[in-house]
Amino acid sequence: KGSHSKGQMHSHLILDYPHDISLKERTGILVDDSTTGGRKMLDLANALRTEGATISNAAVLFEPIGKGARALLKTNKIELNSIVLGPTGRS
């Protein structure tokens, strides 16, 4: 019973987790290696929120300067925390 997963489709994302777990009233943090525009993180946050989770923080190892992720997430009530903030390395 607990080993089966339920796949909830949200836009182009599929949340796959055991069917006996509810995300209602759970709090989560998004974690990724980097983010540029923040769209992927926002899509995931919205899918998790639809399932009842509270998402208000995200963490990345690297955040490129001036790519807009921080502003996009902030307008959607998600605080972005990055370990390294720097240039993209592209000329």
Side-chain angles (χ1 to χ4, degrees):
K1 184 175 180 180
S3 63
H4 300 310
S5 295
K6 62 180 176 181
Q8 299 293 331
M9 186 70 168
H10 296 276
S11 175
H12 60 280
L13 297 171
I14 297 175
L15 297 180
D16 191 21
Y17 56 94
H19 73 281
D20 58 345
I21 293 176
S22 172
L23 298 182
K24 290 181 173 130
E25 299 182 20
R26 292 194 181 231
T27 300
I29 182 170
L30 305 177
V31 179
D32 205 348
D33 59 344
S34 67
T35 186
T36 48
R39 176 57 51 195
K40 182 171 71 171
M41 286 191 137
L42 182 57
D43 287 348
L44 179 56
N46 287 335
L48 291 167
R49 287 171 170 170
T50 297
E51 293 296 311
T54 298
I55 305 295
S56 59
N57 286 280
V60 294
L61 296 174
F62 178 73
E63 177 189 352
I65 294 172
K67 294 295 181 176
R70 183 171 297 273
L72 176 67
L73 295 174
K74 184 176 183 174
T75 61
N76 287 277
K77 299 181 176 156
I78 300 171
E79 180 182 344
L80 179 60
N81 301 280
S82 55
I83 294 174
V84 176
L85 178 64
T88 61
R90 297 180 186 149
S91 301

